[in-house]
Amino acid sequence: MSAEQPTPPPPRPKASIVRYKAALRKAIRRNRREPEIDFLNITAMLDLMTIILVFLLKSVGSSAASIPQSKDLTLPKSVMQSEPSQEGVVVIVSKSQILVGEDPTPIVLLPNREQLAQSGVDAKYKRSGPNDLYIVPLANALSHARETDKAIRAAKGLDPSSSEAIIVADATTPYRLLIEVMFTLGQSEFGKYHLMVLSGNKQ
């Protein structure tokens, strides 16, 4: 007597396979996560840096109008009542030295007033002898200040083709020295100058 063969299971209906695939697709869609942002937004960062730069520039501009006076630097008086300029690279011309910006290191050490009135700063600082008006160390310092100011003006939407300077000169500065400073500024792409004075009432 031969053994009975097992009866094969009936084939699975196609409808159950379709339902299974549909449920699988639904589960995949439900568990899918939004893609994470793994990059930096450079435009937003540049906007933020521009705002910070303008804020710092305003702080520097406001400090330029409060130069401390001393025996070596006394500002001239004026009857003008206008507000001081907030734009420009500060050039300080005291009785004994020339400074640029906030750097406390003197750019030029000045001789006595008699020599300054006749031939300006020492010939060793000039480009081509004592009669020249171009002060080489001052021009070198202004070149670095000009590059920084050019970038700041471009960030603020101003014309970067030339810069402005705020001249803080002692009241006894000889005319010859003042002309040399302004000539060097003009040769260094500074097209506008502001002379800082003490405002007061007309006597």
Side-chain angles (χ1 to χ4, degrees):
M1 185 174 180
S2 59
E4 295 182 357
Q5 297 294 333
T7 303
R12 180 176 297 178
K14 292 183 178 181
S16 61
I17 297 177
V18 173
R19 285 196 300 270
Y20 170 76
K21 289 183 177 180
L24 180 62
R25 286 194 296 268
K26 186 176 180 181
I28 291 175
R29 285 195 301 268
R30 185 172 57 250
N31 296 328
R32 181 183 300 168
R33 294 186 301 173
E34 293 295 329
E36 296 182 358
I37 299 176
D38 56 355
F39 59 90
L40 295 176
N41 191 336
I42 301 299
T43 303
M45 290 183 63
L46 289 177
D47 291 341
L48 179 61
M49 293 301 296
T50 302
I51 294 172
I52 295 175
L53 184 62
V54 172
F55 174 77
L56 292 176
L57 182 65
K58 294 294 290 184
S59 300
V60 172
S62 61
S63 64
S66 57
I67 301 294
Q69 299 189 73
S70 63
K71 293 182 179 180
D72 196 43
L73 178 62
T74 302
L75 296 180
K77 295 182 180 180
S78 172
V79 297
M80 297 180 62
Q81 300 293 327
S82 59
E83 292 293 326
S85 173
Q86 301 293 330
E87 301 289 343
V89 175
V90 179
V91 179
I92 300 177
V93 183
S94 70
K95 291 184 176 70
S96 62
Q97 59 191 3
I98 298 177
L99 306 172
V100 174
E102 297 182 354
D103 188 355
T105 305
I107 302 300
V108 174
L109 296 177
L110 300 176
N112 57 66
R113 279 296 191 255
E114 290 75 15
Q115 178 180 336
L116 283 174
Q118 294 179 3
S119 58
V121 302
D122 288 333
K124 64 182 179 180
Y125 297 123
K126 301 292 186 62
R127 181 171 50 186
S128 59
N131 294 326
D132 195 357
L133 300 176
Y134 189 85
I135 306 174
V136 177
L138 176 59
N140 293 337
L142 290 173
S143 176
H144 295 292
R146 164 73 177 132
E147 293 301 319
T148 302
D149 187 65
K150 185 188 298 184
I152 293 175
R153 293 178 68 85
K156 294 180 64 177
L158 302 175
D159 182 13
S161 61
S162 66
S163 295
E164 300 183 18
I166 301 175
I167 302 175
V168 184
D170 184 77
T172 63
T173 301
Y175 179 74
R176 166 76 188 204
L177 175 59
L178 193 59
I179 289 298
E180 289 183 349
V181 171
M182 290 192 295
F183 178 83
T184 306
L185 282 166
Q187 294 291 305
S188 303
E189 298 184 346
F190 285 80
K192 191 174 183 180
Y193 323 123
H194 306 276
L195 183 61
M196 184 172 289
V197 296
L198 290 176
S199 61
N201 295 327
K202 188 175 181 179
Q203 301 296 329

Short mmCIF file of all heavy atoms in Angstrom, two decimals, residues 13 67 120 183:
data_model
loop_
_atom_site.label_atom_id
_atom_site.label_comp_id
_atom_site.label_asym_id
_atom_site.label_seq_id
_atom_site.Cartn_x
_atom_site.Cartn_y
_atom_site.Cartn_z
N PRO A 13 -4.10 34.18 -3.36
CA PRO A 13 -4.80 35.07 -4.29
C PRO A 13 -3.96 36.31 -4.60
O PRO A 13 -3.22 36.81 -3.77
CB PRO A 13 -6.08 35.44 -3.53
CG PRO A 13 -6.20 34.45 -2.44
CD PRO A 13 -4.84 33.97 -2.11
N ILE A 67 38.57 113.29 20.35
CA ILE A 67 40.01 113.19 20.49
C ILE A 67 40.43 113.90 21.77
O ILE A 67 40.13 115.09 21.96
CB ILE A 67 40.73 113.80 19.28
CG1 ILE A 67 40.30 113.09 17.99
CG2 ILE A 67 42.24 113.73 19.45
CD1 ILE A 67 40.71 111.65 17.89
N GLY A 120 59.07 122.21 6.35
CA GLY A 120 58.23 121.06 6.70
C GLY A 120 59.00 119.99 7.46
O GLY A 120 59.94 120.30 8.20
N PHE A 183 48.76 117.35 0.83
CA PHE A 183 49.28 116.91 -0.46
C PHE A 183 49.49 115.39 -0.46
O PHE A 183 49.15 114.70 -1.43
CB PHE A 183 50.61 117.61 -0.75
CG PHE A 183 51.26 117.18 -2.04
CD1 PHE A 183 50.86 117.74 -3.24
CD2 PHE A 183 52.26 116.22 -2.05
CE1 PHE A 183 51.46 117.34 -4.45
CE2 PHE A 183 52.85 115.81 -3.23
CZ PHE A 183 52.45 116.38 -4.44
#
